Amino acid sequence: MTTPTMGAPSGALRAVLQLYPAGYRRERGEELAAVFADSTARAGRSAVAREVFDLALYGLRVRAGLTGSTAAGRLLALVAPMIAGAVAGAALVPWLAAPERVTFLLSWNHSLSAYAEVFFQPVGAMLLVVAATLGRWTAARGLALFLGVMALGELGGAVVDSHFDDVWWPGYIGMATLPFVFAALLLLAAPTDLLPRPSLRAGGLVLASVAAGGLLAAVQSWDDTGFPVDRQWFVLMLIAPLVLTLTALRGRAVPAAVGVAVLALTGPGSLFNIWRESGGISHLMSTAMPVAILLAMVALAAYGLRRRPGQVRA
């Protein structure tokens, strides 16, 4: 295998190449090493480190099957504008519906941390919409990651407050926070080369997803501890996107992308409310078993009736 004579030590390159599947290393290893040597021949340490990081990241993508040449990668590229807009719309719902409730903290706490807690999420959501609409996916990923880390911190605080022995409070907070975590993961996993370029169609999809995401968040009423929505509705909100997601087994990329985006947004709330209204895990069998059987039948039918294995259609 060709190894670089300048830049990073050959040992570092060999270590990074171990992240790639064995077959990929045999077919493309020398090519990757040669390209790496050319790109780092006159580069400084920071540039070499960046090349090593990029090579390692792509190796993880290849191993996970999340490149532009895989069905999963193409599916996530379709999901990206939908989930970016949808999660931003969900974040903006409280501000549009009841801004006085969101800003109540500022009525008695004027600290910088209080202003950050109140404004970081909606401002980040609006910037995410702008970045995704303009096709600035590096910025969009960074903003989604920022919102996801904030949400994960809030969820972690709820777990600590519950003293690790109460499911209700972390579950309640998770309805609002986990969609941001899932959105960040989906955007980071999408292949960069397949993400949509700036266009009226791509921008319109993002804006339409903002409205759809806001509507779904409002329907869930996750911020209402009275839980006015019945369990049957949450079962439907869980089954419908799951069925859409399973259409990927027949190579239907667009419906599957819609299903993944909706599931990321509504799944945590649906699961929590189904558990809450069932009175605990032990009472879930009457709901879970028929749903599991139905989804298994749909999956088997979709898998058995698909026209061509591995084919992805819009």
Side-chain angles (χ1 to χ4, degrees), residues 146-161 173 177 181:
F146 169 73
L147 292 173
V149 170
M150 280 186 60
L152 200 59
E154 186 177 352
L155 180 59
V159 172
V160 172
D161 291 342
I173 297 300
T177 56
V181 178

Side-chain angles (χ1 to χ4, degrees), residues 223-292:
D223 60 337
D224 186 349
T225 55
F227 297 101
V229 182
D230 294 331
R231 181 178 64 179
Q232 289 77 6
W233 174 251
F234 287 108
V235 172
L236 177 62
M237 291 179 70
L238 187 63
I239 292 178
L242 276 172
V243 171
L244 284 175
T245 302
L246 289 173
T247 61
L249 295 174
R250 293 202 63 189
R252 299 292 182 181
V254 173
V258 173
V260 171
V262 174
L263 196 61
L265 197 65
T266 66
S270 298
L271 288 172
F272 175 74
N273 280 283
I274 292 170
W275 167 83
R276 180 190 63 83
E277 290 197 16
S278 298
I281 296 176
S282 61
H283 299 91
L284 277 175
M285 295 303 293
S286 60
T287 300
M289 286 302 295
V291 170

Side-chain angles (χ1 to χ4, degrees), residues 5-23:
T5 57
M6 299 182 67
S10 59
L13 177 59
R14 285 197 296 269
V16 169
L17 290 178
Q18 293 304 310
L19 296 174
Y20 290 79

Side-chain angles (χ1 to χ4, degrees), residues 57-58 60-80 83 137 140-142 144-145 181-195 260:
L57 185 62
Y58 191 74
L60 293 175
R61 283 190 174 277
V62 172
R63 188 171 288 276
L66 297 177
T67 65
S69 61
T70 64
R74 292 191 291 271
L75 176 62
L76 288 177
L78 290 174
V79 172
I83 193 62
W137 291 107
R141 283 169 160 168
L145 183 61
V181 178
F182 295 154
L185 293 175
L186 289 171
L187 283 171
L188 291 173
T192 303
D193 55 327
L194 294 186
L195 291 173
V260 171

Side-chain angles (χ1 to χ4, degrees), residues 113-185:
S113 61
Y115 278 91
E117 180 179 345
V118 169
F119 289 107
F120 271 8
Q121 188 181 72
V123 171
M126 288 186 286
L127 292 175
L128 175 58
V129 172
V130 173
T133 302
L134 297 178
R136 307 300 185 188
W137 291 107
T138 300
R141 283 169 160 168
L143 290 163
L145 183 61
F146 169 73
L147 292 173
V149 170
M150 280 186 60
L152 200 59
E154 186 177 352
L155 180 59
V159 172
V160 172
D161 291 342
S162 69
H163 304 290
F164 301 93
D165 59 3
D166 179 24
V167 179
W168 195 94
W169 183 242
Y172 177 69
I173 297 300
M175 288 193 295
T177 56
L178 284 176
F180 293 95
V181 178
F182 295 154
L185 293 175

